[in-house]
Amino acid sequence: MIRIEHLVRKFGSFTAVDDISFSVGKGEVFGFLGANGAGKTTTIRMMCGLLRPTAGDIFIDGLSVKSDPEKVKRHIGYMSQKFSLYADLTPEMNIGFFGAVYGVSRKKIAESKEQARRDLGAFAFSRPSGELPLGYKQRLGLSCALLHSPPVIFLDEPTSGVDPGGRREFWEEIYNISSKGTTVLITTHFMDEAEYCDRIGIMSFGRLICLDAPSVIKREYGADTLQQSFIRAIEKDMAKAGAAEVKE
Amino acid sequence: MMDALVTARNVAKSYCQQTALDDISVEVPRAHITGLIGPDGAGKSSFMKIILGLTGADGGSLEFLPREGPAVSVCFDTAGGRTDQRAYVRRHVGYMSEVFSLYSDLSVEENLLFSFRIHKGSDYRSRAEWLYAFNRLEGFANTRAGALSGGMKQKLALSCALMHDPELLVLDEPTTGVDPLSRREFWSILKELKNMGVTIMVSTPYMEEALGCDRIVLMHKARVLESGTPFDLLDRFPGLLLEIPVREGAPQLLRRAVSDLFPHFPVYLSGRNVRVMLPGDGERERACSTLSKNISQSLKPVTVLPGLEDLFLVRVHEGGGQ
């Protein structure tokens, strides 16, 4: 469903993404991890058609991001913790707005509004979205990103700051979506969350240094937790990068 | 008796008839890290704001016992002592919010200077030099705060909160959006500060971080459910934890099936596994046979040791859910 082939992105002389290739299957939940500045956001921006690759290409549902960036946008949904809703608009207005932007049918918009009214309760449904509890905001953000039924959805740190109970409700929702065949690509800084993914990829200095199921990665790094595996993988890579610098 | 820097007694607060804090009594021990945990809306931020004097309470009292100088007592029933509290907080308390309130168009140095001036600290140069070295921010003095990475912004926000050498540091979810390596560095800085005698109060939604606290206060629905060291809390875990690995199919479907079988026990996802807490050892055999009879014989439940995340979910479940 997502195929990345020899993807490179440079900003001047700085290489943010350095020749990465991987694929994510239909209905898969893929965790995309890495330290701040490792190249994750740059990669996601290219997947969304917001940034042109310097070399290589990305295929979303068979469409090339390089030659069809506008078409690609209709095949993806995007949600982030930082921005997904207009805080001053009510949930009803947010659904109406995103539905109109994506050209969703009136019937579907009305259904989504009805669903949100049931989920949130009539009172919260008529308040500004910014006043909703974090867990509600997040579920509403997800519904808005899914209004146009995209085959692929990108979730950028969607559970940042959400408590353990709220995070579990969100993950159940993610599994519901993936069970229906939607491909989910998710970034998180919390490794216990990465345990929920089918597979994870770890980026460091623009390269993909690890790609496998969480249980396999833990075994590979002889760690009990993904947190330990992540830190070991990144430190090993940093030591390698340091050694290369010394050589030069 | 505990050597507490802050003691809150029977603190109550409501906003528009909604109870935010209901009879909260908490001691914050000196030179320790106290973690405030609980579901969203439990009252953690409200409690921090009352300690900081940003808002008053409807009843109860607060007492600060500084290392030097007289005690500061605040009585919310009479509103006595609020002026003393504000003066104490301005001089001796550092605060960092989850949004890292930095001026993104000012440089690192200018942010530090601003914070120094509003807190009326003394000897700017030596404090700034010490913080640059302590928080590993050397070489960034002239960088615009907005251009820093998440981890560096976090360290700058912490430095601003430390500019006036406070004895109490209040941190409201300080690690949101920061990567694991920066987070690990941040917590090692907090531990160093504690060893220097700084008292720290921190809230976090992440239980792996709560484990790094000396004491935890678990709040739910405006009340304190439990407090103690992380190990005290885990020792008091009220049952036996069974983990059922999901071999095929969607984890949420198995979770729902198990919840239907045990409607009164906490059942939740843990990674791609389902966990259920049984009230005691005696229930194990019966539970396993119920699972095998009603769902599948191929389920292989194993007993696992609870972590803080399990404790959180189980206690919130007992407290009537979210």
Side-chain angles (χ1 to χ4, degrees), chain A residues 29 34-36 133-135 157 159-169 171-172 175-177 179 189-193 195-198 227 230-231 234-235 238, chain B residues 38-40 44 98 149-151 173 175-184 205-209 250-253 255-256 268-272 309-310 312-313 322:
Chain A
V29 181
N36 289 128
L134 201 55
E157 290 186 44
T159 58
S160 190
V162 178
D163 69 61
R167 258 180 279 152
R168 278 176 174 72
E169 284 177 21
W171 272 100
E172 295 218 355
Y175 285 147
N176 286 337
I177 296 165
S179 304
H189 282 316
F190 286 87
M191 297 304 124
D192 56 341
E193 285 228 291
E195 298 265 7
Y196 289 77
C197 300
D198 294 312
Q227 170 86 4
F230 178 88
I231 287 178
I234 299 275
E235 282 180 344
M238 280 166 115
Chain B
D40 297 330
K44 305 175 303 268
E98 60 181 310
S149 71
E173 300 193 2
T175 56
T176 304
V178 177
D179 75 52
L181 295 169
S182 306
R183 223 161 48 225
R184 191 174 61 157
Y206 300 104
M207 296 306 114
E208 59 177 65
E209 294 195 330
Q252 84 279 18
L253 299 180
R255 202 279 301 151
R256 270 180 237 154
Y268 50 89
L269 288 177
S270 175
R272 300 185 72 84
E309 182 119 350
D310 299 295
F312 180 107
L313 294 162
Q322 273 177 254

Side-chain angles (χ1 to χ4, degrees), chain B residues 68-267:
Chain B
E68 289 164 15
V72 176
S73 300
V74 190
C75 172
F76 292 110
D77 299 304
T78 61
R82 293 286 310 275
T83 316
D84 293 344
Q85 181 191 10
R86 277 194 284 268
Y88 173 76
V89 168
R90 180 141 91 170
R91 183 63 202 91
H92 297 290
V93 182
Y95 170 58
M96 178 178 160
S97 73
E98 60 181 310
V99 287
F100 307 164
S101 13
L102 298 169
Y103 292 90
S104 55
D105 290 327
L106 296 185
S107 68
V108 168
E109 177 84 13
E110 287 162 338
N111 269 286
L112 290 178
L113 188 59
F114 178 78
S115 172
F116 178 83
R117 286 194 180 143
I118 55 169
H119 286 293
K120 301 194 165 128
S122 62
D123 195 1
Y124 173 73
R125 205 61 258 160
S126 73
R127 187 68 188 161
E129 291 310 325
W130 182 79
L131 279 170
Y132 276 124
F134 181 70
N135 284 335
R136 297 165 202 96
L137 284 166
E138 299 107 324
F140 289 92
N142 298 319
T143 309
R144 226 170 35 84
L148 295 174
S149 71
M152 297 293 279
K153 275 190 192 136
Q154 181 195 35
K155 288 198 290 181
L156 174 59
L158 179 67
S159 303
C160 288
L162 287 169
M163 212 45 227
H164 55 303
D165 197 8
E167 65 175 334
L168 172 64
L169 196 56
V170 178
L171 311 168
D172 196 0
E173 300 193 2
T175 56
T176 304
V178 177
D179 75 52
L181 295 169
S182 306
R183 223 161 48 225
R184 191 174 61 157
E185 188 187 4
F186 186 79
W187 275 87
S188 81
I189 290 174
L190 293 189
K191 284 181 185 153
E192 274 182 71
L193 286 168
K194 173 189 93 167
N195 292 337
M196 290 171 197
V198 180
T199 303
I200 298 170
M201 183 181 219
V202 55
S203 68
T204 174
Y206 300 104
M207 296 306 114
E208 59 177 65
E209 294 195 330
L211 207 52
C213 298
D214 302 306
R215 265 181 83 74
I216 291 177
V217 177
L218 171 57
M219 294 179 73
H220 182 39
K221 293 189 174 163
R223 302 185 75 101
V224 172
L225 286 185
E226 256 197 299
S227 62
T229 68
F231 302 103
D232 288 343
L233 263 58
L234 287 174
D235 263 354
R236 298 199 290 261
F237 190 78
L240 177 88
L241 200 58
L242 217 54
E243 180 170 281
I244 311 155
V246 178
R247 292 185 193 280
E248 54 197 50
Q252 84 279 18
L253 299 180
L254 181 62
R255 202 279 301 151
R256 270 180 237 154
V258 177
S259 290
D260 288 345
L261 284 179
F262 305 104
H264 302 298
F265 301 161
V267 180

